[in-house]
Amino acid sequence: MDNILIIEDDKAISDLILWNLELAGYKGQQAYSGKEAQEVLTGFNPQLVLLDISLPDMEGFELMELLMEKALPVIFLTARNSLSDKLKGLKMGADDYIVKPFEALELLARIEVVLRRNTRAPEVTRFENLEINTEERSVRKDGTLVELTMKEYELMLLLIKHRNKALSREKILELVWSYDYLGETRTVDIHIQKIRKKLGWEEQIKTVYKYGYRLEDKA
């Protein structure tokens, strides 16, 4: 659940935003001034901030500088619709700029986009004796580099993501080779054989009779 801080001095609008955020599964926290927002920031740890420009004690632009220092994604949500304000907000580093009035569904869609853009997958993940660097797209087994083709790499990630679950050959084709792939499920069998050998997963990748495969962890 992502935390979203709403910095908006109009209580009715703030309450409406909060209600929609909670319906969408987010956890919202309200602040009605710049000073109150700074106090909330110390304990709430938001993943995104919705920021009004016209606050009673300061301009949102002023508060924006503090939010940038904390590397927080910001969406301006304001009645100020001049081009100069929009440009200023975006140039300061805001991820989006929405002018009131707005549709709740549009706001939620833009929030989803900003959160997705700012949520970086960890560069290095580990699965048992494997170290996977997603930025380098490299795999090391007990510290030794393992050469995988692009599809073998994607298949390995899929199996790890769904470990201990059976995946049908058709589902694997769909997720690794996409819907448009016209090949036969035999392609999956061949690639499974290759990564079994390369990663030492001969016993770990189980064949599910007349269905597909399942990667079992050793835990």
PDB file of all heavy atoms in Angstrom, residues 122-150:
ATOM      1  N   PRO A 122      14.720  -3.283  -7.609  1.00  0.00           N
ATOM      2  CA  PRO A 122      16.098  -3.383  -7.113  1.00  0.00           C
ATOM      3  C   PRO A 122      17.019  -3.873  -8.216  1.00  0.00           C
ATOM      4  O   PRO A 122      16.666  -4.750  -8.995  1.00  0.00           O
ATOM      5  CB  PRO A 122      15.989  -4.406  -5.983  1.00  0.00           C
ATOM      6  CG  PRO A 122      14.697  -5.114  -6.194  1.00  0.00           C
ATOM      7  CD  PRO A 122      13.797  -4.164  -6.901  1.00  0.00           C
ATOM      8  N   GLU A 123      18.224  -3.290  -8.278  1.00  0.00           N
ATOM      9  CA  GLU A 123      19.151  -3.659  -9.344  1.00  0.00           C
ATOM     10  C   GLU A 123      19.656  -5.078  -9.185  1.00  0.00           C
ATOM     11  O   GLU A 123      19.930  -5.761 -10.159  1.00  0.00           O
ATOM     12  CB  GLU A 123      20.315  -2.672  -9.354  1.00  0.00           C
ATOM     13  CG  GLU A 123      19.918  -1.269  -9.782  1.00  0.00           C
ATOM     14  CD  GLU A 123      21.096  -0.333  -9.801  1.00  0.00           C
ATOM     15  OE1 GLU A 123      22.221  -0.800  -9.553  1.00  0.00           O
ATOM     16  OE2 GLU A 123      20.897   0.851 -10.073  1.00  0.00           O
ATOM     17  N   VAL A 124      19.821  -5.499  -7.937  1.00  0.00           N
ATOM     18  CA  VAL A 124      20.350  -6.835  -7.710  1.00  0.00           C
ATOM     19  C   VAL A 124      19.353  -7.631  -6.867  1.00  0.00           C
ATOM     20  O   VAL A 124      18.927  -7.183  -5.809  1.00  0.00           O
ATOM     21  CB  VAL A 124      21.707  -6.774  -6.982  1.00  0.00           C
ATOM     22  CG1 VAL A 124      22.206  -8.181  -6.668  1.00  0.00           C
ATOM     23  CG2 VAL A 124      22.724  -6.020  -7.830  1.00  0.00           C
ATOM     24  N   THR A 125      18.974  -8.781  -7.379  1.00  0.00           N
ATOM     25  CA  THR A 125      18.124  -9.679  -6.620  1.00  0.00           C
ATOM     26  C   THR A 125      18.842 -11.008  -6.483  1.00  0.00           C
ATOM     27  O   THR A 125      19.717 -11.350  -7.293  1.00  0.00           O
ATOM     28  CB  THR A 125      16.768  -9.889  -7.305  1.00  0.00           C
ATOM     29  OG1 THR A 125      17.001 -10.420  -8.631  1.00  0.00           O
ATOM     30  CG2 THR A 125      15.997  -8.608  -7.429  1.00  0.00           C
ATOM     31  N   ARG A 126      18.483 -11.758  -5.485  1.00  0.00           N
ATOM     32  CA  ARG A 126      19.142 -13.038  -5.247  1.00  0.00           C
ATOM     33  C   ARG A 126      18.118 -14.140  -5.110  1.00  0.00           C
ATOM     34  O   ARG A 126      17.042 -13.939  -4.535  1.00  0.00           O
ATOM     35  CB  ARG A 126      20.016 -12.955  -3.992  1.00  0.00           C
ATOM     36  CG  ARG A 126      21.248 -12.086  -4.170  1.00  0.00           C
ATOM     37  CD  ARG A 126      22.100 -11.998  -2.920  1.00  0.00           C
ATOM     38  NE  ARG A 126      23.337 -11.269  -3.179  1.00  0.00           N
ATOM     39  CZ  ARG A 126      23.435  -9.946  -3.243  1.00  0.00           C
ATOM     40  NH1 ARG A 126      22.349  -9.204  -3.041  1.00  0.00           N
ATOM     41  NH2 ARG A 126      24.590  -9.357  -3.499  1.00  0.00           N
ATOM     42  N   PHE A 127      18.455 -15.266  -5.668  1.00  0.00           N
ATOM     43  CA  PHE A 127      17.644 -16.472  -5.487  1.00  0.00           C
ATOM     44  C   PHE A 127      18.621 -17.613  -5.231  1.00  0.00           C
ATOM     45  O   PHE A 127      19.383 -17.998  -6.123  1.00  0.00           O
ATOM     46  CB  PHE A 127      16.790 -16.752  -6.724  1.00  0.00           C
ATOM     47  CG  PHE A 127      16.017 -18.037  -6.621  1.00  0.00           C
ATOM     48  CD1 PHE A 127      14.903 -18.119  -5.791  1.00  0.00           C
ATOM     49  CD2 PHE A 127      16.406 -19.155  -7.335  1.00  0.00           C
ATOM     50  CE1 PHE A 127      14.198 -19.309  -5.679  1.00  0.00           C
ATOM     51  CE2 PHE A 127      15.695 -20.344  -7.237  1.00  0.00           C
ATOM     52  CZ  PHE A 127      14.582 -20.419  -6.402  1.00  0.00           C
ATOM     53  N   GLU A 128      18.613 -18.070  -3.997  1.00  0.00           N
ATOM     54  CA  GLU A 128      19.536 -19.118  -3.562  1.00  0.00           C
ATOM     55  C   GLU A 128      20.975 -18.756  -3.947  1.00  0.00           C
ATOM     56  O   GLU A 128      21.480 -17.742  -3.499  1.00  0.00           O
ATOM     57  CB  GLU A 128      19.068 -20.456  -4.124  1.00  0.00           C
ATOM     58  CG  GLU A 128      17.681 -20.806  -3.548  1.00  0.00           C
ATOM     59  CD  GLU A 128      17.130 -22.104  -4.031  1.00  0.00           C
ATOM     60  OE1 GLU A 128      17.701 -22.724  -4.931  1.00  0.00           O
ATOM     61  OE2 GLU A 128      16.079 -22.511  -3.494  1.00  0.00           O
ATOM     62  N   ASN A 129      21.641 -19.553  -4.817  1.00  0.00           N
ATOM     63  CA  ASN A 129      23.049 -19.245  -5.127  1.00  0.00           C
ATOM     64  C   ASN A 129      23.191 -18.359  -6.368  1.00  0.00           C
ATOM     65  O   ASN A 129      24.285 -18.192  -6.889  1.00  0.00           O
ATOM     66  CB  ASN A 129      23.851 -20.537  -5.327  1.00  0.00           C
ATOM     67  CG  ASN A 129      23.307 -21.374  -6.467  1.00  0.00           C
ATOM     68  OD1 ASN A 129      22.200 -21.149  -6.935  1.00  0.00           O
ATOM     69  ND2 ASN A 129      24.088 -22.345  -6.898  1.00  0.00           N
ATOM     70  N   LEU A 130      22.087 -17.779  -6.819  1.00  0.00           N
ATOM     71  CA  LEU A 130      22.134 -16.891  -7.987  1.00  0.00           C
ATOM     72  C   LEU A 130      22.105 -15.437  -7.553  1.00  0.00           C
ATOM     73  O   LEU A 130      21.365 -15.066  -6.632  1.00  0.00           O
ATOM     74  CB  LEU A 130      20.944 -17.141  -8.914  1.00  0.00           C
ATOM     75  CG  LEU A 130      20.841 -18.490  -9.602  1.00  0.00           C
ATOM     76  CD1 LEU A 130      19.659 -18.468 -10.558  1.00  0.00           C
ATOM     77  CD2 LEU A 130      22.115 -18.842 -10.352  1.00  0.00           C
ATOM     78  N   GLU A 131      22.908 -14.614  -8.248  1.00  0.00           N
ATOM     79  CA  GLU A 131      22.850 -13.169  -8.079  1.00  0.00           C
ATOM     80  C   GLU A 131      22.475 -12.584  -9.433  1.00  0.00           C
ATOM     81  O   GLU A 131      23.203 -12.757 -10.413  1.00  0.00           O
ATOM     82  CB  GLU A 131      24.195 -12.617  -7.618  1.00  0.00           C
ATOM     83  CG  GLU A 131      24.178 -11.112  -7.426  1.00  0.00           C
ATOM     84  CD  GLU A 131      25.530 -10.590  -6.994  1.00  0.00           C
ATOM     85  OE1 GLU A 131      25.914 -10.822  -5.835  1.00  0.00           O
ATOM     86  OE2 GLU A 131      26.211  -9.961  -7.822  1.00  0.00           O
ATOM     87  N   ILE A 132      21.341 -11.894  -9.471  1.00  0.00           N
ATOM     88  CA  ILE A 132      20.812 -11.393 -10.740  1.00  0.00           C
ATOM     89  C   ILE A 132      20.848  -9.876 -10.717  1.00  0.00           C
ATOM     90  O   ILE A 132      20.211  -9.248  -9.866  1.00  0.00           O
ATOM     91  CB  ILE A 132      19.364 -11.880 -10.945  1.00  0.00           C
ATOM     92  CG1 ILE A 132      19.331 -13.416 -10.885  1.00  0.00           C
ATOM     93  CG2 ILE A 132      18.809 -11.370 -12.272  1.00  0.00           C
ATOM     94  CD1 ILE A 132      17.972 -13.971 -10.556  1.00  0.00           C
ATOM     95  N   ASN A 133      21.596  -9.297 -11.644  1.00  0.00           N
ATOM     96  CA  ASN A 133      21.666  -7.846 -11.760  1.00  0.00           C
ATOM     97  C   ASN A 133      20.779  -7.441 -12.930  1.00  0.00           C
ATOM     98  O   ASN A 133      21.125  -7.656 -14.089  1.00  0.00           O
ATOM     99  CB  ASN A 133      23.109  -7.392 -11.997  1.00  0.00           C
ATOM    100  CG  ASN A 133      23.239  -5.883 -11.922  1.00  0.00           C
ATOM    101  OD1 ASN A 133      22.464  -5.154 -12.532  1.00  0.00           O
ATOM    102  ND2 ASN A 133      24.213  -5.411 -11.170  1.00  0.00           N
ATOM    103  N   THR A 134      19.615  -6.865 -12.599  1.00  0.00           N
ATOM    104  CA  THR A 134      18.639  -6.565 -13.648  1.00  0.00           C
ATOM    105  C   THR A 134      19.076  -5.397 -14.527  1.00  0.00           C
ATOM    106  O   THR A 134      18.626  -5.286 -15.657  1.00  0.00           O
ATOM    107  CB  THR A 134      17.270  -6.259 -13.022  1.00  0.00           C
ATOM    108  OG1 THR A 134      17.418  -5.232 -12.042  1.00  0.00           O
ATOM    109  CG2 THR A 134      16.691  -7.495 -12.369  1.00  0.00           C
ATOM    110  N   GLU A 135      19.919  -4.527 -13.995  1.00  0.00           N
ATOM    111  CA  GLU A 135      20.392  -3.411 -14.814  1.00  0.00           C
ATOM    112  C   GLU A 135      21.438  -3.892 -15.818  1.00  0.00           C
ATOM    113  O   GLU A 135      21.424  -3.507 -16.988  1.00  0.00           O
ATOM    114  CB  GLU A 135      20.986  -2.316 -13.925  1.00  0.00           C
ATOM    115  CG  GLU A 135      21.198  -1.011 -14.685  1.00  0.00           C
ATOM    116  CD  GLU A 135      21.164   0.165 -13.737  1.00  0.00           C
ATOM    117  OE1 GLU A 135      20.072   0.580 -13.318  1.00  0.00           O
ATOM    118  OE2 GLU A 135      22.244   0.660 -13.420  1.00  0.00           O
ATOM    119  N   GLU A 136      22.324  -4.771 -15.366  1.00  0.00           N
ATOM    120  CA  GLU A 136      23.331  -5.323 -16.279  1.00  0.00           C
ATOM    121  C   GLU A 136      22.758  -6.471 -17.108  1.00  0.00           C
ATOM    122  O   GLU A 136      23.330  -6.870 -18.104  1.00  0.00           O
ATOM    123  CB  GLU A 136      24.518  -5.874 -15.476  1.00  0.00           C
ATOM    124  CG  GLU A 136      25.314  -4.841 -14.721  1.00  0.00           C
ATOM    125  CD  GLU A 136      26.425  -5.495 -13.901  1.00  0.00           C
ATOM    126  OE1 GLU A 136      26.505  -6.741 -13.874  1.00  0.00           O
ATOM    127  OE2 GLU A 136      27.217  -4.747 -13.305  1.00  0.00           O
ATOM    128  N   ARG A 137      21.624  -7.001 -16.664  1.00  0.00           N
ATOM    129  CA  ARG A 137      21.026  -8.234 -17.207  1.00  0.00           C
ATOM    130  C   ARG A 137      22.046  -9.375 -17.144  1.00  0.00           C
ATOM    131  O   ARG A 137      22.256 -10.099 -18.116  1.00  0.00           O
ATOM    132  CB  ARG A 137      20.540  -8.036 -18.653  1.00  0.00           C
ATOM    133  CG  ARG A 137      19.350  -8.936 -19.041  1.00  0.00           C
ATOM    134  CD  ARG A 137      19.082  -8.906 -20.508  1.00  0.00           C
ATOM    135  NE  ARG A 137      20.126  -9.531 -21.263  1.00  0.00           N
ATOM    136  CZ  ARG A 137      20.278 -10.845 -21.417  1.00  0.00           C
ATOM    137  NH1 ARG A 137      19.444 -11.686 -20.838  1.00  0.00           N
ATOM    138  NH2 ARG A 137      21.262 -11.326 -22.139  1.00  0.00           N
ATOM    139  N   SER A 138      22.670  -9.502 -16.007  1.00  0.00           N
ATOM    140  CA  SER A 138      23.681 -10.543 -15.823  1.00  0.00           C
ATOM    141  C   SER A 138      23.262 -11.486 -14.690  1.00  0.00           C
ATOM    142  O   SER A 138      22.511 -11.107 -13.792  1.00  0.00           O
ATOM    143  CB  SER A 138      25.043  -9.924 -15.499  1.00  0.00           C
ATOM    144  OG  SER A 138      24.990  -9.234 -14.264  1.00  0.00           O
ATOM    145  N   VAL A 139      23.754 -12.714 -14.777  1.00  0.00           N
ATOM    146  CA  VAL A 139      23.437 -13.726 -13.773  1.00  0.00           C
ATOM    147  C   VAL A 139      24.732 -14.380 -13.322  1.00  0.00           C
ATOM    148  O   VAL A 139      25.551 -14.801 -14.154  1.00  0.00           O
ATOM    149  CB  VAL A 139      22.496 -14.805 -14.359  1.00  0.00           C
ATOM    150  CG1 VAL A 139      22.160 -15.851 -13.297  1.00  0.00           C
ATOM    151  CG2 VAL A 139      21.233 -14.175 -14.906  1.00  0.00           C
ATOM    152  N   ARG A 140      24.933 -14.464 -12.024  1.00  0.00           N
ATOM    153  CA  ARG A 140      26.102 -15.136 -11.486  1.00  0.00           C
ATOM    154  C   ARG A 140      25.654 -16.267 -10.577  1.00  0.00           C
ATOM    155  O   ARG A 140      24.784 -16.077  -9.715  1.00  0.00           O
ATOM    156  CB  ARG A 140      27.000 -14.155 -10.723  1.00  0.00           C
ATOM    157  CG  ARG A 140      27.779 -13.235 -11.643  1.00  0.00           C
ATOM    158  CD  ARG A 140      28.619 -12.225 -10.896  1.00  0.00           C
ATOM    159  NE  ARG A 140      29.523 -11.517 -11.785  1.00  0.00           N
ATOM    160  CZ  ARG A 140      29.170 -10.548 -12.624  1.00  0.00           C
ATOM    161  NH1 ARG A 140      27.896 -10.161 -12.659  1.00  0.00           N
ATOM    162  NH2 ARG A 140      30.051  -9.970 -13.415  1.00  0.00           N
ATOM    163  N   LYS A 141      26.258 -17.416 -10.801  1.00  0.00           N
ATOM    164  CA  LYS A 141      25.970 -18.581  -9.971  1.00  0.00           C
ATOM    165  C   LYS A 141      27.203 -18.851  -9.125  1.00  0.00           C
ATOM    166  O   LYS A 141      28.294 -19.116  -9.669  1.00  0.00           O
ATOM    167  CB  LYS A 141      25.652 -19.788 -10.857  1.00  0.00           C
ATOM    168  CG  LYS A 141      25.390 -21.053 -10.076  1.00  0.00           C
ATOM    169  CD  LYS A 141      25.221 -22.222 -11.023  1.00  0.00           C
ATOM    170  CE  LYS A 141      25.147 -23.527 -10.230  1.00  0.00           C
ATOM    171  NZ  LYS A 141      25.125 -24.697 -11.144  1.00  0.00           N
ATOM    172  N   ASP A 142      27.066 -18.758  -7.817  1.00  0.00           N
ATOM    173  CA  ASP A 142      28.203 -18.881  -6.901  1.00  0.00           C
ATOM    174  C   ASP A 142      29.342 -17.962  -7.325  1.00  0.00           C
ATOM    175  O   ASP A 142      30.525 -18.329  -7.250  1.00  0.00           O
ATOM    176  CB  ASP A 142      28.686 -20.339  -6.851  1.00  0.00           C
ATOM    177  CG  ASP A 142      27.626 -21.266  -6.257  1.00  0.00           C
ATOM    178  OD1 ASP A 142      26.931 -20.828  -5.316  1.00  0.00           O
ATOM    179  OD2 ASP A 142      27.496 -22.397  -6.741  1.00  0.00           O
ATOM    180  N   GLY A 143      28.984 -16.788  -7.816  1.00  0.00           N
ATOM    181  CA  GLY A 143      29.980 -15.796  -8.190  1.00  0.00           C
ATOM    182  C   GLY A 143      30.487 -15.904  -9.616  1.00  0.00           C
ATOM    183  O   GLY A 143      31.227 -15.033 -10.079  1.00  0.00           O
ATOM    184  N   THR A 144      30.119 -16.969 -10.331  1.00  0.00           N
ATOM    185  CA  THR A 144      30.599 -17.171 -11.698  1.00  0.00           C
ATOM    186  C   THR A 144      29.522 -16.759 -12.702  1.00  0.00           C
ATOM    187  O   THR A 144      28.357 -17.162 -12.571  1.00  0.00           O
ATOM    188  CB  THR A 144      30.955 -18.652 -11.943  1.00  0.00           C
ATOM    189  OG1 THR A 144      31.953 -19.035 -11.001  1.00  0.00           O
ATOM    190  CG2 THR A 144      31.486 -18.855 -13.356  1.00  0.00           C
ATOM    191  N   LEU A 145      29.925 -15.960 -13.673  1.00  0.00           N
ATOM    192  CA  LEU A 145      28.969 -15.456 -14.658  1.00  0.00           C
ATOM    193  C   LEU A 145      28.397 -16.604 -15.498  1.00  0.00           C
ATOM    194  O   LEU A 145      29.131 -17.464 -15.975  1.00  0.00           O
ATOM    195  CB  LEU A 145      29.669 -14.454 -15.582  1.00  0.00           C
ATOM    196  CG  LEU A 145      28.774 -13.668 -16.546  1.00  0.00           C
ATOM    197  CD1 LEU A 145      27.807 -12.765 -15.781  1.00  0.00           C
ATOM    198  CD2 LEU A 145      29.640 -12.841 -17.499  1.00  0.00           C
ATOM    199  N   VAL A 146      27.079 -16.595 -15.657  1.00  0.00           N
ATOM    200  CA  VAL A 146      26.392 -17.593 -16.483  1.00  0.00           C
ATOM    201  C   VAL A 146      25.825 -16.887 -17.706  1.00  0.00           C
ATOM    202  O   VAL A 146      25.087 -15.906 -17.569  1.00  0.00           O
ATOM    203  CB  VAL A 146      25.251 -18.281 -15.703  1.00  0.00           C
ATOM    204  CG1 VAL A 146      24.547 -19.307 -16.593  1.00  0.00           C
ATOM    205  CG2 VAL A 146      25.773 -18.921 -14.437  1.00  0.00           C
ATOM    206  N   GLU A 147      26.174 -17.369 -18.888  1.00  0.00           N
ATOM    207  CA  GLU A 147      25.679 -16.745 -20.112  1.00  0.00           C
ATOM    208  C   GLU A 147      24.297 -17.309 -20.447  1.00  0.00           C
ATOM    209  O   GLU A 147      24.126 -18.511 -20.650  1.00  0.00           O
ATOM    210  CB  GLU A 147      26.641 -17.019 -21.283  1.00  0.00           C
ATOM    211  CG  GLU A 147      28.019 -16.383 -21.119  1.00  0.00           C
ATOM    212  CD  GLU A 147      27.978 -14.857 -21.227  1.00  0.00           C
ATOM    213  OE1 GLU A 147      26.950 -14.315 -21.678  1.00  0.00           O
ATOM    214  OE2 GLU A 147      28.972 -14.221 -20.825  1.00  0.00           O
ATOM    215  N   LEU A 148      23.322 -16.414 -20.508  1.00  0.00           N
ATOM    216  CA  LEU A 148      21.960 -16.806 -20.877  1.00  0.00           C
ATOM    217  C   LEU A 148      21.513 -15.976 -22.076  1.00  0.00           C
ATOM    218  O   LEU A 148      21.844 -14.789 -22.161  1.00  0.00           O
ATOM    219  CB  LEU A 148      20.986 -16.559 -19.720  1.00  0.00           C
ATOM    220  CG  LEU A 148      21.175 -17.364 -18.430  1.00  0.00           C
ATOM    221  CD1 LEU A 148      20.147 -16.918 -17.390  1.00  0.00           C
ATOM    222  CD2 LEU A 148      21.041 -18.861 -18.682  1.00  0.00           C
ATOM    223  N   THR A 149      20.768 -16.602 -22.980  1.00  0.00           N
ATOM    224  CA  THR A 149      20.177 -15.820 -24.057  1.00  0.00           C
ATOM    225  C   THR A 149      19.063 -14.959 -23.462  1.00  0.00           C
ATOM    226  O   THR A 149      18.650 -15.152 -22.313  1.00  0.00           O
ATOM    227  CB  THR A 149      19.585 -16.729 -25.138  1.00  0.00           C
ATOM    228  OG1 THR A 149      18.473 -17.449 -24.569  1.00  0.00           O
ATOM    229  CG2 THR A 149      20.620 -17.714 -25.677  1.00  0.00           C
ATOM    230  N   MET A 150      18.556 -14.031 -24.257  1.00  0.00           N
ATOM    231  CA  MET A 150      17.524 -13.127 -23.752  1.00  0.00           C
ATOM    232  C   MET A 150      16.294 -13.907 -23.271  1.00  0.00           C
ATOM    233  O   MET A 150      15.753 -13.644 -22.203  1.00  0.00           O
ATOM    234  CB  MET A 150      17.105 -12.135 -24.846  1.00  0.00           C
ATOM    235  CG  MET A 150      16.080 -11.112 -24.376  1.00  0.00           C
ATOM    236  SD  MET A 150      15.672  -9.909 -25.647  1.00  0.00           S
ATOM    237  CE  MET A 150      14.731 -10.932 -26.778  1.00  0.00           C
TER     238      MET A 150
END
